[in-house]
Amino acid sequence: MPSRPRVLAIGAMLSAPTLLCASCDRAPNASSTPTAASAAPAAPPASSTPDVSAPALPPLGGDWLVRLRLEKFFDAVVAAPIGTTSPRPVLIGVHGSRDRPEWACGEFLGVTKGYPFILCPHGVPNHAEPLYGFTTAEDLKLEIDAGLKALRERFGPYVAEGPMIYGGFSRGAFLGVPIVADDPARFPVVVLGEGGQSSWTDDRASRFARGGGKRVLFVCSTPDCEMATPPALAILKRAGVEAKMITAGHIGHIVDDRVVTLIRGSWPWLVRDRTGPLGPW
């Protein structure tokens, strides 16, 4: 069982007081959870880099953190690139067990500096406190699909067509591997934090590579993660997939400002070929 984590602000990284998640086993913070879109804080600025290949759109307005109503699922949470005048790509941010979607959105907001749409599935209750998790990869995939449908209905032409990035932490990483292996054309780039190593098999890695999978980034902050990652790296590299591990040291099963900064440092490697209609990440 990981030690009790912390929730840290990254105001030095962003222009808004975004809260980062701490781990899949953290205490709830009701003040960080908007009950409606209007309750979200002021938006961090979207990237100023335009996508010249896309038609001009009016600047996207509204709240930067919104909820999307989904049929058969709890509301998804979205961090939107407020101010953009061009279509932006999508990153799927999946939290761990005993966790919350707002925290996953906050983490990847810090990593990407608010450039893409960040869609964070909600999950189902798995604790007496208001904390959530995911049961199976099949259910998670259905929830992602429902969220993407609602995202496109809500934001229309602001959502770019084409491949997306899958980012998962702990349980979200473990369940994400079969999803991306089955649909690598949709998720060719993957970030797996503190989990997912044991989910990679030679068959999954081969299918991921054959279908267009490009690279996988493993993010560790515990000794167990560091020890579990080399076999997964070997499996992926045998299949022709670029893969590497980065580590924040032995700071616990958490995501804090140190982990966000670490991932941002490897972001150019992860997305170096993401150009054209998907824009520079």
Side-chain angles (χ1 to χ4, degrees):
M1 178 67 68
S3 61
R4 185 185 182 92
R6 297 163 293 163
V7 177
L8 300 179
I10 54 169
M13 299 181 189
L14 302 172
S15 62
T18 303
L19 292 180
L20 293 181
C21 89
S23 84
C24 63
D25 188 19
R26 74 196 100 184
N29 182 351
S31 64
S32 69
T33 308
T35 57
S38 60
S47 170
S48 59
T49 305
D51 179 2
V52 295
S53 66
L57 296 167
L60 180 63
D63 296 304
W64 72 270
L65 191 66
V66 300
R67 289 181 177 273
L68 297 178
R69 287 292 181 90
L70 307 184
E71 293 185 9
K72 301 180 181 179
F73 299 101
F74 287 92
D75 294 355
V77 175
V78 175
I82 300 305
T84 184
T85 57
S86 62
R88 293 294 177 87
V90 179
L91 184 150
I92 307 297
V94 184
H95 62 73
S97 299
R98 302 186 70 235
D99 208 330
R100 302 189 68 146
E102 297 90 345
W103 293 331
C105 277
E107 294 154 16
F108 283 108
L109 188 70
V111 169
T112 63
K113 298 184 179 180
Y115 185 82
F117 283 95
I118 304 169
L119 173 65
C120 301
H122 195 289
V124 296
N126 72 346
H127 195 265
E129 297 169 338
L131 301 173
Y132 306 90
F134 301 96
T135 53
T136 67
E138 292 78 9
D139 286 344
L140 174 57
K141 180 183 180 299
L142 291 173
E143 187 168 349
I144 290 171
D145 290 343
L148 288 169
K149 180 176 181 291
L151 180 72
R152 296 186 184 281
E153 289 174 351
R154 173 72 176 267
F155 293 101
Y158 292 94
V159 183
E161 299 292 338
M164 296 170 279
I165 292 177
Y166 182 97
F169 174 75
S170 191
R171 180 73 171 169
F174 177 83
L175 296 180
V177 173
I179 292 174
V180 302
D182 287 343
D183 202 355
R186 186 159 70 153
F187 301 112
V189 176
V190 184
V191 182
L192 302 176
E194 282 285 307
Q197 298 94 334
S198 63
S199 296
W200 286 107
T201 63
D202 286 315
D203 175 67
R204 282 176 175 163
S206 295
R207 288 189 289 113
F208 183 69
R210 289 197 307 268
K214 293 184 177 295
R215 58 191 64 91
V216 177
L217 178 67
F218 292 95
V219 185
C220 290
S221 55
T222 62
D224 287 346
C225 177
E226 292 175 4
M227 289 188 292
T229 300
L233 292 175
I235 289 171
L236 288 162
K237 290 177 179 179
R238 280 199 302 269
V241 177
E242 294 180 76
K244 73 174 185 176
M245 176 183 73
I246 56 177
T247 178
H250 302 166
I251 62 174
H253 190 66
I254 64 174
V255 180
D256 64 9
D257 55 347
R258 295 166 290 183
V259 177
V260 166
T261 300
L262 180 72
I263 300 172
R264 275 176 45 192
S266 289
W267 206 251
W269 171 84
L270 195 72
V271 301
R272 65 180 181 271
D273 55 355
R274 305 280 293 192
T275 58
L278 288 180
W281 283 71

